[in-house]
Amino acid sequence: MNQPASATATLPWRQAWLAQARQHPWSAAGLIAALLVILWLLAHSLLAIADGTAARGLREGLLAGLAGFAATALGALGGLFLQKLSARAEDSMLGFAAGMMLAASSFSLILPGIEAAEGITGSGVLGALVVLGGLALGVALMLGMDQFTPHEHENVGPCGPGSERINRVWLFVMAITLHNLPEGMAMGVSFSQGDLSVGLPLSSAIAIQDIPEGLAVVMALRAAGMNTRNAILMAMGSGLMEPLGALLGVGLASGFALAYPIGLGLAAGAMIFVVSHEVIPETHRNGHQTYATLGLMAGFGLMMVLDTALG
């Protein structure tokens, strides 16, 4: 998420958002379309949850999201013992997280989504197109949030309308929120049908990569000027987006049959967008791209083994 803040940051909030929409009309249209589809899916899913047909998926998805939060908190507590982390180590850790997210998107979201959609539509091509539609929704959602949510990245600066009015630390926290939301959604969607062979490997992978990610967040918040205690608490708080995202994911995929493969595709699209648009570029800016790439391959390989062993 690396679009620098523009002159719109000096405008009043409403004017800044309208100016940003005029500058990026396709992003605005995509975000609106994605939100409308999500609201439609949620309306259907609330009925399923209310009558109890999605109770098991709701329970398991929430537990998975809480596991992601616990893993983030565990990593954040590492900040009590590590006062400094080298840029090379941080880039390697983020590369590892990126590899796990890419593999999880492929093995635990896209492939099960195509299989489920094929079983519903009776056609492999139609099944792939259904998941492709979900992928497009996930990308539109994250691209729109990137353009229209004020946030900041360490090497890029403020992004989004009105970002210059907000404290730098809070902008960074918003960036973390944008990162954690699709992870939680992915866990919720994967458990929405109560299928452990889909949900367990994906949630295990996300929880594992949340540990180094939580530590990296603490280090970045320290670099932004926050003291150790507040940095740890803030990093822990960022993990709360995972159970919230999991509840959203369960809701998205519980309404009717095609909502499940669409939801899997949406979560995959959102995660792949974050990896390509944010995580990988961040790991390549300090001259440690080789270590980051090795970390990515290690994370991808571990996720492949987890998916085989637990799937």
Side-chain angles (χ1 to χ4, degrees):
M1 301 178 179
N2 49 8
Q3 304 246 350
S6 66
T8 59
T10 62
L11 296 174
W13 281 102
R14 183 172 176 273
Q15 293 182 27
W17 279 70
L18 291 174
Q20 190 82 349
R22 285 193 292 269
Q23 290 178 9
H24 306 280
W26 289 108
S27 295
L31 177 61
I32 292 171
L35 290 176
L36 288 175
V37 173
I38 287 171
L39 288 174
W40 177 60
L41 292 173
L42 282 175
H44 282 271
S45 67
L46 288 175
L47 297 175
I49 292 173
D51 66 17
T53 58
R56 179 183 174 187
L58 186 65
R59 181 177 64 254
E60 292 174 347
L62 180 58
L63 288 174
L66 289 173
F69 163 70
T72 302
L74 179 62
L77 287 173
L80 292 172
F81 308 101
L82 281 176
Q83 295 303 312
K84 189 175 182 181
L85 190 65
S86 70
R88 186 174 72 181
E90 185 173 345
D91 289 341
S92 300
M93 289 165 52
L94 289 176
F96 177 82
M100 295 204 77
M101 290 173 70
L102 285 176
S105 299
S106 301
F107 300 132
S108 298
L109 292 173
I110 293 176
L111 292 181
I114 292 175
E115 183 180 354
E118 184 177 356
I120 296 169
T121 63
S123 167
V125 174
L126 287 178
L129 290 175
V130 167
V131 176
L132 179 61
L135 281 167
L137 285 174
V139 172
L141 176 65
M142 296 309 297
L143 182 60
M145 291 177 68
D146 176 56
Q147 294 287 355
F148 297 100
T149 302
H151 59 284
E152 177 170 342
H153 298 283
E154 185 176 357
N155 295 317
V156 178
C159 310
S163 57
E164 291 184 355
R165 295 189 184 86
I166 304 175
N167 181 276
R168 181 171 176 246
V169 171
W170 286 109
L171 287 173
F172 185 77
V173 170
M174 291 181 186
I176 299 168
T177 300
L178 292 179
H179 182 105
N180 285 344
L181 180 63
E183 293 182 1
M185 288 173 59
M187 289 191 286
V189 170
S190 69
F191 275 112
S192 62
Q193 304 299 303
D195 188 348
L196 293 180
S197 67
V198 175
L200 191 58
L202 174 70
S203 299
S204 299
I206 291 177
I208 289 170
Q209 62 92 26
D210 276 338
I211 296 174
E213 197 171 81
L215 178 59
V217 169
V218 171
M219 299 302 173
L221 288 174
R222 277 181 183 161
M226 186 175 285
N227 63 48
T228 298
R229 185 192 66 179
N230 289 341
I232 291 174
L233 291 176
M234 195 66 70
M236 289 180 171
S238 74
L240 289 173
M241 287 306 300
E242 302 217 1
L244 291 175
L247 291 176
L248 177 61
V250 172
L252 286 176
S254 300
F256 56 96
L258 276 178
Y260 177 57
I262 291 173
L264 288 172
L266 190 152
M271 287 178 64
I272 293 171
F273 180 92
V274 168
V275 170
S276 176
H277 198 60
E278 176 187 345
V279 181
I280 291 178
E282 290 288 339
T283 63
H284 285 213
R285 285 198 176 99
N286 299 313
H288 305 128
Q289 54 267 27
T290 298
Y291 294 95
T293 301
L294 291 174
L296 185 147
M297 296 305 299
F300 194 97
L302 177 60
M303 178 59 211
M304 184 172 63
V305 172
L306 282 175
D307 186 76
T308 302
L310 301 177

